[in-house]
């Protein structure tokens, strides 16, 4: 059960440093010793930052909050992979046991036109909020709700809906896509509602408005490479994009205005 | 900070009449703002968790102009997102005898008789509406095969009333409230201010009229004026450094309001959650909860023999001590959190703990997997088991989880009356940031319920009453008060940056956390608390003389953000210890070693301590003044809690 003395790691880090959006960035190199394989990736960066502050160099700015893989705040490209090498894992849940002693690790922010860099590894993802504002909701006011059991929902619909609603909005799908498309993010919300009766009245309007906003934000088109699914820490499947495409087609055919 | 006790009745504005008619009566008697006048009022909502998002959306729907603030980059990331297990409601769908009264009773008893009865009753009363509202928003709650909503059992209850979405209930509830909020943003009724840190409250002519905040990207100090301010900024668990809270959770907004006149109630009531992944190293940056729902199917045990070093799979049944089932046969593994945490500590202190550090007990699913099958367990807890494996590199389907208690939730918070209004008129406090409903111990699945009750169903009425019944002069950010407080905020930042010492904020915060955990944790005593107060004061001096923050205030500067929050924790921690020192009894999460029964259960002192302690700020380095709100139990008889 208790592992035999695990080997501690020495690492070479190449990290993107950029002081603000309108300034050019560059890679800088750092050495770290004595990293425990049980540390999380962010705890490794915490240690680096302690060292940097002690040496008088600005610490590396990175977004994080829950450190439990659910808030979607963290995210960085690690050796070219969104959230790094571990499957279905956010950066905060990635552990150093997935690296080897002597490794070089290249760390960059999400790269996408719609996600401008704010500082170092932090990007602005407010485009996601605006896609939701375009239609990612059910139009119901507080107090208008019918009894909770008024609509019976088959278990498989509810489960399917939750599979889509599990999206944490981190942006890994965009970062992993060569077109910087946010189609998986958009599809997850459309698919969440399509599978529930509550989403039905607005389904046509919703899909058109959300796709429209997606394009306006400067996200690229989806060319079905499925890189998004591979990078998604919440296991959101590309089948939701197929569902979105069907919804979109239907909406285009039936939209009255 | 010695205690200057003052017997003053705080007016909680609890309506007269039978308990089940108080809220109706209150609603009937409140003044209304007419539909056309609502757009003349501006409301600031700080925080976009369950409490803030639901309040901001509901107020926007009513027609008010709302400004919503959060420190994350998106409102959807508030820490409510991390809640796992579920949300309570007295729907009685399983037909197992639940009712509004029973949920009320369980919550009052679970809180060890230190909450205000009327507020708790209202909470239970609106709980059903919350479920309806969330379902209508499209929250995909678990369902039975027939398509009806499903329930599970949580601690402190003998009925099944918890609604859930796998192990990610908070996420789904927050996304529901967030979607309602986004709809109001699109409608132009709510304006969003993400990546803003509230630094201060602006009080004009005795009323809360605005806030000062820092734009965390540009560093700009901004001022915002309004007719009411709603504080929905969550709990203060990070005073202990290691907790299950998100890294950014802080007491800053609440503490700043406290220093502007809002009383702080019961800060010593902190919840230590029994089932968290144990600390593994000095680099540890936070602790991860394993939901209480796991205790539905997991059995807690340690070896019977102190010297048993066999791996758990080799320890036969007869050599295992299922100590919760042994000590509390009626509730077994489902005792409330404070009881379960103390029992784990007791076993570990006595040398029975397991794992590398000896500070852990087993949470075992072997029996449940054998009886129900692996698939059934995976369907209920799949994402929690996944998370456990990611962190520990062990597979809980094969070996029992190792768990230990960790700081989790703040029952204490800003004092509020029945309207959820603080002692500063126009400042309302919702969700975990207030003290209102959970007494000295919160039952599982009740915080989500409270946040949404406050935001969807209470504040929209009571804030309206404030606007309609008080004459508020016209105030804009041009008022000199705004300038004055903005200058103070700027000076404070300058002061932090100019220290230029040798220690990082992380380093000092860890030290504060250690002081808090050692002396204000699961067991407290007078000597330790007095020592803690001394140590916190010294550390506060050390901080102001020796903290090292690089960079400037005019840029994205995470060390500066942390320093500001830490400075407030260093003041707040002292009040927490002070409150714990003054409360010479054991109740709920507050366990004073001097006050226990022979079999180590908490001994409450209703004769002397049946009150909410509300502390009034009197100036820096001056004793806070204690006000007592007596608690009266007309419905539920004051008894010793027993889960045996
Ligand atoms: C891991 C975990 C699991 C839990 N599981 C459950 C559960 O199963 N059931 C249950 O009932 N409860 C659970 N809880 C408790 C519950 O989640 C919280 O008590 C509740 O969600 C708090 O909601 P809130 O709206 O009050 O605050 P939060 O959701 O914490 O939101 C606080 C908001 O305030 C903002 N904010 C804070 N400070 C500032 C500032 N200075 N300036 C600007 N904005 C600020 C933040 O940006 C955020 O938007 C759990 C808690 C944790 C930590
Ligand atoms: S910090 Fe919340 S998902 Fe990583």
């Amino acid at each position: 059960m208790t592992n035999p003395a695990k080997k501690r790691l020495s690492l070479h880090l190449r990290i993107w440093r950029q002081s603000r959006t309108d300034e050019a960035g560059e890679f800088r190199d750092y050495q770290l010793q004595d990293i425990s394989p049980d540390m999380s990736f962010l705890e490794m960066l915490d240690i680096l930052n302690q060292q940097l502050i002690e040496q008088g160099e600005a610490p590396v700015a990175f977004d994080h909050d829950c450190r439990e893989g659910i808030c979607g705040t963290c995210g960085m490209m690690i050796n070219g992979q969104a959230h790094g090498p571990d499957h279905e894992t956010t950066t905060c849940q990635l552990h150093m046991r997935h690296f080897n002693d002597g490794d070089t690790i290249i760390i960059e922010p999400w790269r996408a036109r719609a996600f401008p860099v704010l500082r170092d590894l932090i990007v602005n993802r407010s485009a996601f909020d605006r896609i939701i504002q375009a239609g990612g909701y059910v139009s119901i006011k507080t107090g208008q709700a019918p009894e909770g059991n008024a609509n019976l929902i088959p278990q498989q619909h509810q489960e399917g809906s939750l599979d889509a609603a599990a999206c944490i909005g981190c942006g890994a799908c965009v970062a992993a896509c060569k077109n910087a498309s946010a189609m998986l993010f958009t599809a997850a919300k459309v698919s969440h509602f399509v599978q529930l009766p509550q989403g039905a009245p607005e389904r046509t309007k919703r899909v058109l408005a959300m796709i429209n906003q997606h394009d306006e934000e400067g996200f690229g088109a989806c060319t079905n490479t499925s890189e998004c699914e591979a990078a998604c820490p919440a296991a959101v499947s590309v089948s939701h994009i197929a569902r979105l495409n069907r919804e979109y087609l239907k909406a285009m055919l039936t939209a009255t205005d | 900070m010695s205690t200057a006790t003052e017997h003053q009745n705080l007016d909680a504005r609890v309506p007269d009449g039978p308990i089940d008619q108080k809220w109706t009566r209150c609603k009937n008697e409140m003044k209304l703002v007419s539909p056309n006048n609502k757009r003349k009022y501006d409301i600031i909502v700080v925080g976009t968790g369950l409490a803030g998002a639901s309040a901001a959306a509901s107020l926007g729907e009513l027609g008010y102009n709302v400004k919503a603030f959060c420190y994350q980059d998106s409102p959807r990331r508030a820490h409510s997102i991390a809640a796992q297990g579920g949300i309570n409601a007295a729907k009685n769908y399983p037909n197992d005898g639940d009712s509004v009264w029973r949920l009320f009773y369980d919550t009052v008893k679970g809180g060890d008789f230190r909450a205000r009865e009327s507020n708790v009753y209202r909470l239970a009363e609106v709980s059903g509406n919350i479920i309806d509202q969330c379902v209508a928003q499209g929250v995909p709650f678990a369902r039975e095969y027939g398509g009806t909503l499903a329930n599970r059992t949580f601690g402190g209850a003998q009925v099944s009333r918890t609604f859930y979405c796998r192990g990610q209930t908070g996420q789904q509830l927050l996304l529901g409230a967030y979607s309602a909020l986004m709809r109001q943003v699109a409608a132009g009724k709510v304006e969003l201010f993400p990546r803003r840190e509230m630094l201060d409250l602006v009080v004009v002519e005795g009323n809360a009229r605005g806030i000062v905040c820092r734009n965390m990207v540009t560093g700009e100090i901004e001022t915002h004026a309004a007719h009411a301010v709603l504080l929905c900024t969550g709990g203060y668990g990070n005073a202990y450094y290691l907790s299950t809270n998100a890294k950014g959770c802080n007491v800053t907004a609440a503490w700043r309001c406290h220093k502007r006149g809002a009383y702080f109630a019961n800060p010593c009531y902190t919840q230590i959650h029994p089932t968290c992944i144990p600390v593994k190293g000095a680099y540890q940056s936070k602790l991860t909860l394993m939901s209480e729902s796991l205790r539905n199917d997991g059995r807690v045990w340690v070896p019977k023999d102190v010297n048993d070093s066999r791996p758990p799979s080799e320890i036969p049944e007869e050599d295992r001590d299922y100590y919760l089932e042994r000590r509390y046969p009626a509730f077994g593994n489902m005792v409330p959190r404070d009881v379960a945490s103390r029992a784990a500590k007791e076993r570990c202190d006595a040398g029975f703990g397991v794992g590398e550090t000896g500070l852990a007990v087993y949470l075992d699913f072997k029996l449940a997997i054998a009886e129900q099958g692996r698939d059934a367990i995976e369907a209920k807890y799949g994402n929690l088991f996944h998370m456990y494996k990611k962190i520990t590199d062990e597979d809980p389907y094969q070996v029992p989880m190792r768990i230990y208690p960790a700081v989790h939730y703040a029952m204490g918070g800003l004092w509020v009356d029945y309207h959820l209004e603080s002692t500063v008129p126009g400042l309302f406090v919702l969700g975990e940031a207030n003290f209102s409903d959970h007494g000295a111990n919160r039952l599982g699945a009740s915080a989500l319920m409270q946040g949404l009750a406050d935001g969807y169903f209470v504040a929209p009425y009571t804030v309206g009453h404030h606007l309609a019944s008080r004459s508020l002069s016209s105030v804009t950010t041009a008022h000199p008060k705004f300038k004055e407080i903005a200058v103070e905020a700027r000076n404070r930042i300058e002061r932090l940056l100019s220290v230029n010492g040798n220690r990082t904020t992380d380093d000092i915060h860890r030290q504060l956390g250690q002081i808090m955990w050692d002396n204000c944790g699961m067991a407290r005593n007078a000597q330790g608390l007095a020592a803690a107060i001394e140590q916190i004061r010294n550390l506060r001096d050390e901080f102001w003389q020796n903290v090292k923050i690089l960079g400037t205030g005019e840029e994205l500067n995470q060390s500066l953000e942390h320093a500001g929050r830490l400075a407030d924790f260093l003041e707040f921690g002292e009040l927490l210890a002070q409150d714990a020192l003054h409360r010479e009894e054991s109740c709920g999460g507050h366990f004073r070693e001097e006050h226990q029964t022979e079999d180590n259960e908490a001994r409450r002192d209703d004769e002397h301590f049946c009150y909410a302690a509300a502390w009034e700020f009197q100036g820096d380095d001056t004793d806070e003044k204690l006000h007592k709100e007596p608690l009266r139990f007309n419905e539920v008889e004051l008894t010793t809690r027993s889960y045996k």
Side-chain angles (χ1 to χ4, degrees), chain A residues 50 119 129 142 148 155 159, chain B residues 58 132 143 166 178 504 555:
Chain A
Q50 295 301 302
R119 177 165 197 148
D129 286 332
T142 302
Q155 211 178 47
E159 287 286 328
Chain B
S58 304
D132 299 343
R143 302 262 166 180
R166 294 181 197 150
Y178 161 80
T504 63
E555 60 186 328

Side-chain angles (χ1 to χ4, degrees), chain A residues 204 207-208 245-257:
Chain A
T204 303
V207 68
L208 294 176
N245 288 337
R246 289 197 296 277
E247 282 296 305
Y248 188 68
L249 256 173
K250 250 192 279 177
M252 292 292 275
L253 294 172
T254 57
T256 46
D257 49 6

